[in-house]
Each structure stands twice: as C-alpha cells, then as structure tokens.
DNA sequence: CGTACGTTCCACCAAGTGGTTGAATGTTTT
DNA sequence: AAAACATTCAACCACTTGGTGGAACGTACG
C-alpha cells in the first residue's frame, strides 16, 4: 500500500465527524479550558476525552498550552477555513453569490457600494 | 453502550473525510455517472469504489437511479448545507457578517437594500 | 518529605473502515 | 440459451477508532 499521510482536509473532517468532538469545540469556542473541565460533563472517562482532544489537536483545531500541571486548550477556528472552502466551492457558493450580485446590480445600478465612497 | 445511530452531521463529515470520496463527489458535481465510470480512473477495485459510493449514499450526498443494469449516480449538494452551517456558526461567520452589515449601514444609511425592495 | 492532583501512556477490547478476491444477481446482447 | 456486462454480496484481512482500566509522570501543596 502507498500509505500516504492524511491531508489536512482528511484530519479536519474526520475530527468533525464525532459529536463528542464537536461538543468539545463548541465548548472551547466560548473560553479556554483544561482537560478535566472539558471531561467533567461528558459521559465517558477522562482518558477517552484525552484521546478526543488529541484528535482535535492533530487536526490543528485546538491548541494546547501547558501551565504547570494544567493543560489549557483553546479553539483554533481559523483551521476550519479549508474545510469550509471545500464545501462552499463544491456547492457552488461563489457562483450563486456572483449571480446574486449580478441581480442586485441590475436592480440597483446606482448602489453607492458599487461606486467609490466619499 | 447506548448505541445511538449516527446523526446526519456525523455521516456527512465522515463521508467527506476520505479523499477518494471527495474525488467522487467532485466528479459527480459536473455530471451524473455510472459506478463503473467513477471507478475507472481510481486506483482500486470496483468493489472498493462501490463501498465508497454506499457511504456517500448513506450520508445522502449522492442519489442513485437504476436504469436497467446501470446505476446512475448524481450529487446531492443540498445535503451539505447542515455541515456548512455548523462550521459557519462555529467560526462566527454570522457574527462577522453582522458586524460587516452594521458597518455598511453606518457608512450608507440610505442604502436601498436596507429598505423594502421593489 | 509525602500526598493529592492533572494528564498522559500502555495494554486491552469490540466495532468499524478500507481494501482485497470470488461468487451471486440481474440485464443486455448475440 | 448462452455470453458479456454492471453491480452487489460475502468472506476475509490489516488497520483504525472509541471506549475501558491501571500505571506512570510531573506539578502543587500539606
């Protein structure tokens, strides 16, 4: 087998494919937290959570800062742009958006946003 | 174990996590195709491709129409909206967009788009 | 110091994945 | 009817995943 290492996109989508990990990301979106804090409300062992965090970290979706015995985690939302872009391009987001813009300009040919502003 | 059935989001992201399957989707975005057509350029057996297609189908990302002995597949891009929305909400897309809108309205208080349009 | 705490590492297990080959099923063609 | 074609099904294999429990390691605190 060729055994290629998985791409960023592979890691990102795989990380997002688990509800526990999406949960962890949502929690980290509000504020940074320690591993134990994240694990407390979850219905599984601390070890399992530690593994989930490792998956998110490998995908670059969270970053870890070790302060003493605590590992503080924070979300890295920028790492999702590639995943977002893939879907957007696939679904033709930009084409639809271009159509909408064209329609808009046709309706409002003198929209000030289309001209240099004061 | 609780053995919950995987959510749509789970299935969607899991389906997208494999480069072969993203490849298949891109190919189907242009035009419908038969299983064999999809398999031909791919470096694996027809059976393997058939399995990948099954994964995409289970996630609702492709739909199958059987005509005689041929199975024609077509992409179902609408099924990605939920996945797209999750990322967008997570990354704060709408908040950023709201900020941009507010700034825009402040700059152009009489922008026709802000009033009921004809 | 010794003990508690926070986290990971290790070994294990059941289930899933991504691939293979070969057989089976159904359809079209000759 | 027989052969070729399109596709899936079934069994198998190596590897990964998501969970467990216990040991280990480093840090903080009495």
């Amino acid at each position: 087998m060729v055994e290629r290492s998985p791409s960023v996109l592979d890691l990102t989508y795989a990380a997002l494919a688990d509800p526990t990990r999406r949960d962890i990301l949502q929690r980290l979106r509000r504020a940074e937290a320690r591993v134990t804090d994240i694990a407390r409300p979850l219905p599984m062992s601390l070890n399992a959570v530690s593994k989930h965090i490792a998956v998110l970290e490998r995908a670059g979706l969270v970053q870890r800062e070790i302060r003493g015995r605590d590992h503080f985690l924070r979300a890295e939302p920028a790492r999702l742009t590639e995943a977002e872009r893939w879907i957007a391009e696939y679904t033709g987001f930009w084409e639809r958006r271009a159509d909408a813009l064209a329609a808009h300009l046709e309706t409002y040919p003198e929209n000030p946003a289309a001209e240099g502003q004061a």
Side-chain angles (χ1 to χ4, degrees), chain A residues 33-40 46 49-50 53 64 71-73:
Chain A
R34 300 174 309 151
V35 175
T36 311
D37 298 333
I38 291 170
R40 193 169 311 114
L46 179 66
V49 174
S50 179
I53 290 169
R64 179 191 308 255
H71 296 209
F72 286 88
L73 306 162

Side-chain angles (χ1 to χ4, degrees), chain A residues 64-99:
Chain A
R64 179 191 308 255
E65 188 190 345
I66 303 177
R67 296 205 282 272
R69 61 184 171 180
D70 300 312
H71 296 209
F72 286 88
L73 306 162
R74 60 172 211 280
E76 212 62 75
R79 295 303 294 270
L80 282 172
T81 53
E82 215 170 306
E84 198 171 17
R85 185 189 311 276
W86 192 93
I87 295 181
E89 281 180 1
Y90 173 72
T91 59
F93 177 78
W94 297 109
E95 292 157 26
R96 280 191 276 107
R97 191 169 181 282
D99 288 351

Side-chain angles (χ1 to χ4, degrees), chain A residues 1-2 6 11 26 29 33 41 60-62 65 74 79 85:
Chain A
M1 250 184 270
V2 191
L11 293 172
Q26 292 285 12
R29 194 170 87 101
L61 294 174
V62 317
E65 188 190 345
R74 60 172 211 280
R79 295 303 294 270
R85 185 189 311 276

Side-chain angles (χ1 to χ4, degrees), chain A residues 98-108:
Chain A
D99 288 351
L101 177 62
H104 181 75
L105 290 179
E106 194 164 336
T107 309
Y108 304 109

